[in-house]
Every structure is written in structure tokens, then in C-alpha cells.
Amino acid sequence: MRATDAKIEATGFSFYYGKRQALRDIHIKVNEHQITALIGPSGCGKSTFLRALNRMNDIIPGARAEGEILLDGRNIYAPGVDVVELRKRVGMVFQQPNPFPKTIFENVAFGPRVLGLDGKISLDEVVEKSLRAAALWDEVKDVLHKSGLALSGGQQQRLCIARALATEPEVLLMDEPCSALDPQSTLASRS
């Protein structure tokens, strides 16, 4: 473990899909409470890098990483790292909405329940707070029993944002989360 003041630090990080190199020698520091945007053309590796930050690429056969990504000074690719624990700390919202085939309420309450927060805090409060933060509460507060899959594409994306916020991750990765939102929803979700 190295001492670092960055929340996340990539040092000499490269990533491969089989023989194809997708990322080459990435060096970046991201401090705590900082918003960082990755900008580049389609296909340049932005999503691959985001997925590497919480090891979502681990499930791809033949994928491999070189170098280090540190979270609070610890290499997330070191042997013995608990990937489930890592993903509790580093949440992710994908470009395409992926609500669970559950009610709106259950979509947001799922993470807190899995983490054992049931009974420690009011799930009603967590769900409302998270839906408000994702600018969706006013649209769904009277239909929380409705399936999340029945929502519009933009509403589904905001539901996925609310679901990610409900677990209060230390780091939240967002891969073009507003691409499915109309301009009004994008502005509402930023406030």
C-alpha cells in the first residue's frame, strides 16, 4: 500500500480484451469530493476505464489489467481484494437504463436491503431521498408499486441513478447517464 492523497489514482494502468489493448498507460488522480469528466471520441476507452474502476470488466473472458488503480491508497487489483466490497464503495450507473423487474420502490430499496440496512434506517426515507436526488420523486410518488420497467426511458435512467444513490457509495461512476434523458430531465437531475 502506498500513501496517496487521491481518492482514486491510476498508475501505469493498461487494459486488454484478449490480445487487443483498449487502454494504454493511464495515469490519473481524482481527489475526494471532486467531479471528474472523461472526454474523448467514441471507442477511445472511457467506458472501459470506468468499468475498470469497480472491476466490472472482470466478468469478460480474456480481459486483463496491468498497472494499478488505487482506492484510498489500496490497489483494487491486488490479490485477495473483495470485489463485492469494492462495488459497495464504488457504485456505477450505466449509459443504458437497467432497472430490475421490480417495483419502483423495490428498485431503490434493493441495495440498502442487500447491505443489511433494513431496520437500521427507514427504507421509505431512503427511497424518497434517493428519488428526490434523481429528480424523479414528484413523477412517481403515487405509483411506487408500479414496475420500474413501465417507466419511460428517461425515467428508468433516473430510477437507476436513484438506486445507485440509495447505497451512498463513496465513489459514483456514471457512464453517460444523461444520454437517455430529455433536456428538462437532464437539468432537473443536475440540481
Side-chain angles (χ1 to χ4, degrees), residues 103-160:
T103 67
I104 295 165
F105 182 93
E106 290 302 321
N107 262 275
V108 180
F110 181 83
R113 278 203 178 111
V114 168
L115 295 177
L117 302 178
D118 234 359
K120 295 178 184 169
I121 54 174
S122 164
L123 283 177
D124 290 339
E125 290 173 14
V126 170
V127 169
E128 181 177 346
K129 177 183 174 187
S130 301
L131 288 169
R132 282 186 185 281
L136 188 57
W137 175 254
D138 290 337
E139 297 171 46
V140 301
K141 64 184 175 192
D142 297 323
V143 291
L144 294 174
H145 63 283
K146 186 177 178 180
S147 171
L149 298 172
L151 298 173
S152 72
Q155 288 174 321
Q156 286 183 14
Q157 187 67 328
R158 288 182 283 147
L159 177 62
C160 293

